[in-house]
């Protein structure tokens, strides 16, 4: 039986980037070349206008994650990369579950189980009902097991979103950098070539 080395664990990689075509593909290649599976990937706008935020989850050693983060940060459009364990972030995933409405209507037990799992109805039709819940992977997986005996039709889970606990945000670091390096009005990503000066959180 193959067991993972003890020092392998889930890491959340957070990358602040420009929103450029082809960047996602180049980031994915960094992982595929090393045969590292991406467990979850989410991109969204960040707290800084015009800057996007990637959240990537992988299971690896810290040494490998550090190297990966460094490779991602070398991409021209990437401003800064951080990596954290699950203990260092606040994270959630959303899940949707489609079940037959007649079963839900007839089974008071199912309603109780849904309440116990923090689920809420988002669509109720004659033929099916869709429930939504948010939480950690174990919580959303548990509701799958709960609903299987009642004819679970469909299930989908979102990518992880995460916020770093002990962080004042990249926005503050960026503003501090701009104050230390005054000059003409900052054009888009003028600070890129000096990003090493934007220190880590």
């Amino acid at each position: 039986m193959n067991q993972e080395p003890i020092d392998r664990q889930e890491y959340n990689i957070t990358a602040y980037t420009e929103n450029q075509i082809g960047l996602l593909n180049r980031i994915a290649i960094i992982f595929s070349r090393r045969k590292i599976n991406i467990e979850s990937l989410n991109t969204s706008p960040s707290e800084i206008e015009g800057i996007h935020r990637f959240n990537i989850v992988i299971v690896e050693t810290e040494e490998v994650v550090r190297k990966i983060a460094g490779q991602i940060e070398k991409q021209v459009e990437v401003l800064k990369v951080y990596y954290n364990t699950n203990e260092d972030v606040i994270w959630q995933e959303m899940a949707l579950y489609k079940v037959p409405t007649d079963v839900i209507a007839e089974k008071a037990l199912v309603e109780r189980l849904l309440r116990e799992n923090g689920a809420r109805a988002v669509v109720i039709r004659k033929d099916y009902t869709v429930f939504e819940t948010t939480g950690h992977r174990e919580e959303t997986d548990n509701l799958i097991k709960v609903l299987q005996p009642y004819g679970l039709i469909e299930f989908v889970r979102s990518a992880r979103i995460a916020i770093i606990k002990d962080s004042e945000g990249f926005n503050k670091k960026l503003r501090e950098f701009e104050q230390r390096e005054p000059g003409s009005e900052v054009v888009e990503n003028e600070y890129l070539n000096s990003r090493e000066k934007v220190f880590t959180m």
Side-chain angles (χ1 to χ4, degrees), residues 82-188:
Y82 304 97
Y83 65 89
N84 301 91
T85 64
N86 285 345
E87 290 71 36
D88 295 330
V89 297
I90 298 163
W91 62 276
Q92 294 281 285
E93 295 171 342
M94 187 187 83
L96 296 175
Y97 312 78
K98 185 198 286 184
V99 293
T101 297
D102 57 351
V103 174
I104 296 299
E106 293 172 10
K107 308 281 185 180
L109 173 64
V110 176
E111 290 181 0
R112 182 172 62 80
L113 290 171
L114 290 171
R115 281 196 307 272
E116 288 174 356
N117 287 274
R120 67 181 186 92
V122 290
V123 172
I124 301 173
R125 290 182 20 154
K126 191 173 183 180
D127 49 344
Y128 65 79
T129 297
V130 176
F131 291 95
E132 173 266 334
T133 189
T134 58
H136 287 185
R137 182 74 48 91
E138 301 78 25
E139 296 165 321
T140 53
D141 280 350
N142 185 59
L143 192 51
I144 298 173
K145 294 172 190 170
V146 166
L147 292 175
Q148 283 291 8
Y150 301 100
L152 179 63
I153 300 167
E154 200 171 342
F155 164 76
V156 64
R157 179 169 41 224
S158 72
R160 178 179 301 184
I161 55 173
I163 285 179
I164 303 167
K165 287 180 182 176
D166 295 327
S167 163
E168 295 179 327
F170 182 65
N171 193 19
K172 182 176 180 183
K173 305 298 181 195
L174 182 58
R175 299 300 164 244
E176 288 173 354
F177 169 73
E178 289 174 349
Q179 288 172 5
R180 287 197 312 271
E181 302 284 335
S184 57
E185 187 175 340
V186 177
V187 295
E188 189 172 4

Side-chain angles (χ1 to χ4, degrees), residues 13 30 34 62-75 78 80-83 195-196:
I13 298 172
I30 291 171
R34 290 164 181 75
E62 183 175 4
E63 181 183 358
V64 170
V65 174
R66 187 185 304 112
K67 289 177 181 175
I68 290 275
Q71 286 295 307
I72 295 172
E73 204 166 58
K74 287 179 182 175
Q75 299 297 311
V78 176
K80 194 65 191 167
V81 178
Y82 304 97
Y83 65 89
R195 64 175 178 242
E196 290 76 15

Side-chain angles (χ1 to χ4, degrees), residues 44-62:
S44 70
S46 74
E47 64 275 17
I48 308 166
E49 186 178 354
I51 302 298
H52 271 57
R53 178 175 176 147
F54 280 67
N55 191 76
I56 305 165
V57 180
I58 62 172
V59 178
E60 263 306 338
T61 64
E62 183 175 4

Side-chain angles (χ1 to χ4, degrees), residues 6-30:
I6 292 174
D7 56 351
R8 287 186 84 214
Q9 61 176 309
E10 277 192 347
Y11 279 92
N12 299 266
I13 298 172
T14 304
Y16 285 89
T17 77
E18 291 182 293
N19 187 22
Q20 294 290 330
I21 294 171
L23 178 59
L24 176 58
N25 185 51
R26 281 184 278 120
I27 288 176
I29 287 170
I30 291 171

